[in-house]
Amino acid sequence: MTAEAGLSDTLRDLPVWTPDPVELADLELILAGVHRPLTGFLGSFDTAMVIAGGRLADGTPWPVPVTLSVPKELTEHERIVLQDPEGVPLAVLRVTEAWQDPTSQAWRLAGPLEALRAPAHGPFHGLRRRPDELARHDGNVLAVATRGFLHRKQLGQLRQVAERLGAEVLVLAMLSGEHDESLVRALLGVRRELPDGTQIIPVPLPARGDAGAQEERDVLMHAHIAAAYGATHLLADREIEGTAIPVVVPEPWAYDADVEVWRPVARIEPDHVQAELTPERLGELLDAGEPVPDWFTPPAVAAELALARPPKLSRGITVFFTGLSGSGKSTVARGLADALIERGGRTVTLLDGDVVRRMLSAGLTFSRADRDLNIRRIGFVAAEITRHGGTAICAPIAPYAATRAEVRRMVSAVGDFILVHVATPLEECERRDRKGLYAKARAGLIPEFTGISDPYEEPEDADLTLDTSRLAPDEAVGRVIDLLVEGGWVRPA
């Protein structure tokens, strides 16, 4: 694919690439000067040094690898246009190194970036600022970088630390791709409870890597970003060595049930400390559609919490069936769609059969790449249905665990995902095969046929497993309905 619209003649014939969400965020932060001193994506030696010791090859402290993954065929080019998900060209990468990651085997490109235009994708982009667009302060600036909502305790701690430091306040909303709009609206909704002059700036920074090391990486990265925006201190829950600016850990606060205010624990009589609302209990309230208590969070935040996590009965959901050809997954999926429509209360869309083959899969072959693309297409449509509170029921073979996991991530960002493995034995699937597909596959007439000449990777993360050689269709549908009722997505009959 080559670049076209909005480019000069000298750039129009260059290949184009759309980075993944993490890399796209890094691209935006490099172009904005937030990732200074970086001017582009890192090469193999810099990346190895960052992973091993948290420093670039020249000794500059740096918290995380900032790399760009591409298909192998793009490694042969000297310049590449990088674009956003809507196809808008953002920058030209001048390739100084093409290298293969020894851990993931992914191909990566390194080199400096030439900006073409400022990124403009994503919500609340009008609030985003480059560091050089902010007025610099002579005194202290306290930054708080958050992926989550600020409740009454966090707001009180922030005000206390800012007053103690005599600091201006900078709130950096770390956009992760999940409920970003609600996060920013909630922060704007509590602006009056923040110190005068507080600035709220959205910053694209999706989570990266394994969850185990995420917290430490976050503090290091947040401190670096805060420093780029002129902050002198970072408010965080824990201190980490090597941060770009000092980390301030607030003293413990709790809710004083006697005077009905949040304040430092040291100032509360022990028997007056009210137990805090745990994340688990908060989730239970939201799932059930019950109000979040005012003593815990301001009404503006409670309203956004309810939008970000609607009650389960009205929350969008995808029920994704996977199994071999002939396993009965389509029969169970159609039965489930009919049963939910008969019960009422949910908008149901069945993504299976001729409609998918004609509308989404037309032109695709049975190669692994095309089968993966088919599942991604189904997953994209299911995620959009889920985003708007609908129920998507999907029944592809979906033989590969990585692709199923990708669909789970897409859907889970906007609603709930249920994976049902229809684990009917291969022998029974072959016996049922009226079209003779299995026989043709065994004769070598159909290449890459799942279960015969191509593997089916059985799910290890299925929420329900069914064997239709042992269950009648109505029984199998009943098992799925029972799961949805127990989980709170469907009312009991």
Side-chain angles (χ1 to χ4, degrees):
M1 185 176 179
T2 57
E4 294 181 5
L7 295 179
S8 66
D9 292 339
T10 58
L11 300 178
R12 196 161 291 156
D13 293 331
L14 295 181
V16 300
W17 179 246
T18 303
D20 70 24
V22 171
E23 295 164 347
L24 192 66
D26 284 333
L27 171 63
E28 181 168 343
L29 296 179
I30 292 170
L31 297 180
V34 178
H35 270 352
R36 63 184 184 188
L38 300 192
T39 58
F41 290 99
L42 299 181
S44 56
F45 188 49
D46 270 320
T47 299
M49 293 293 288
V50 169
I51 293 173
R55 292 180 179 273
L56 300 173
D58 64 4
T60 302
W62 190 260
V64 296
V66 175
T67 58
L68 176 69
S69 300
V70 297
K72 185 177 180 180
E73 56 266 26
L74 286 183
T75 61
E76 301 173 359
H77 297 272
E78 295 181 354
R79 292 194 299 169
I80 293 176
V81 174
L82 301 179
Q83 63 183 14
D84 71 14
E86 297 175 356
V88 177
L90 301 177
V92 175
L93 173 69
R94 181 168 60 82
V95 180
T96 56
E97 181 187 5
W99 56 286
Q100 191 171 23
D101 190 303
T103 303
S104 67
Q105 301 304 307
W107 284 96
R108 306 191 191 280
L109 297 180
L113 292 162
E114 173 193 344
L116 296 175
R117 55 173 53 83
H121 60 279
F124 290 107
H125 206 87
L127 291 178
R128 300 189 194 183
R129 295 288 183 272
R130 295 171 53 97
D132 58 15
E133 294 175 331
L134 297 186
R136 294 290 168 166
H137 298 275
D138 294 331
N140 289 329
V141 177
L142 175 66
V144 56
T146 181
R147 298 184 190 276
F149 299 89
L150 298 183
H151 303 297
R152 294 200 186 277
K153 181 176 82 169
Q154 290 82 22
L155 292 167
Q157 290 173 319
L158 175 57
R159 289 193 298 268
Q160 181 192 41
V161 174
E163 183 178 354
R164 175 162 57 85
L165 294 175
E168 301 283 336
V169 172
L170 175 65
V171 178
L172 302 173
M174 296 304 184
L175 308 184
S176 62
E178 296 186 21
H179 311 305
D180 291 340
E181 301 92 334
S182 289
L183 171 61
V184 178
R185 285 196 300 263
L187 291 173
L188 293 174
V190 296
R191 190 195 292 266
R192 70 181 64 181
E193 302 195 34
L194 295 166
D196 291 342
T198 293
Q199 296 190 77
I200 298 172
I201 299 177
V203 178
L205 195 73
R208 67 179 84 205
D210 61 284
Q214 183 66 47
E215 184 179 0
E216 182 171 339
R217 277 197 303 265
D218 270 355
V219 174
L220 290 168
M221 198 70 232
H222 293 172
H224 176 85
I225 293 173
Y229 276 103
T232 59
H233 299 78
L234 175 70
L235 187 70
D237 292 334
R238 57 179 291 197
E239 290 187 67
I240 298 291
E241 291 185 3
T243 53
I245 54 177
V247 171
V248 180
V249 179
E251 66 174 306
W253 275 45
Y255 185 71
D256 188 334
D258 184 44
V259 293
E260 299 182 337
V261 295
W262 285 90
R263 57 181 180 170
V265 172
R267 297 171 55 189
I268 307 175
E269 295 292 332
D271 58 343
H272 293 164
V273 174
Q274 181 166 309
E276 191 169 349
L277 201 63
T278 64
E280 293 76 18
R281 178 55 184 155
L282 175 60
E284 291 172 358
L285 292 174
L286 294 170
D287 287 347
E290 298 178 13
V292 178
D294 183 74
W295 64 265
F296 175 74
T297 200
V301 177
E304 292 302 332
L305 281 169
L307 287 174
R309 185 166 174 167
K312 278 194 169 185
L313 284 172
S314 58
R315 188 182 309 166
I317 183 173
T318 290
V319 183
F320 194 95
F321 291 87
T322 175
L324 294 170
S325 176
S327 62
K329 60 188 180 300
S330 292
T331 300
V332 180
R334 285 194 298 271
L336 175 64
D338 291 342
L340 291 177
I341 291 171
E342 291 169 6
R343 282 172 171 251
R346 278 196 168 272
T347 302
V348 180
T349 301
L350 179 62
L351 296 174
D352 185 40
D354 291 339
V355 172
V356 167
R357 284 188 288 272
R358 185 173 65 252
M359 302 302 295
L360 292 180
S361 307
L364 297 184
T365 69
F366 290 96
S367 68
R368 173 161 186 161
D370 276 4
R371 282 183 288 170
D372 272 350
L373 178 57
N374 179 50
I375 302 306
R376 291 191 185 96
R377 288 177 177 179
I378 293 172
F380 173 79
V381 175
E384 289 304 300
I385 292 168
T386 301
R387 180 194 305 277
H388 296 288
T391 301
I393 300 174
C394 315
I397 293 173
Y400 308 124
T403 316
R404 292 192 301 261
E406 187 176 341
V407 174
R408 182 187 284 273
R409 286 193 294 272
M410 279 194 288
V411 173
S412 297
V414 295
D416 290 341
F417 181 88
I418 300 294
L419 182 64
V420 180
H421 178 205
V422 184
T424 305
L426 175 62
E427 298 77 14
E428 176 63 15
C429 295
E430 287 197 68
R431 188 190 67 78
R432 296 174 178 177
D433 183 21
R434 291 175 293 181
K435 296 181 180 179
L437 298 178
Y438 280 98
K440 291 179 181 178
R442 289 194 180 278
L445 301 177
I446 303 178
E448 296 183 291
F449 190 84
T450 301
I452 304 299
S453 52
D454 202 64
Y456 176 81
E457 300 172 0
E458 294 199 356
E460 297 180 355
D461 59 343
D463 300 284
L464 179 66
T465 300
L466 303 172
D467 179 353
T468 63
S469 68
R470 299 174 179 271
L471 293 170
D474 287 349
E475 292 178 290
V477 170
R479 297 277 182 91
V480 183
I481 290 287
D482 289 345
L483 176 66
L484 298 178
V485 171
E486 291 169 7
W489 294 284
V490 173
R491 296 185 190 279

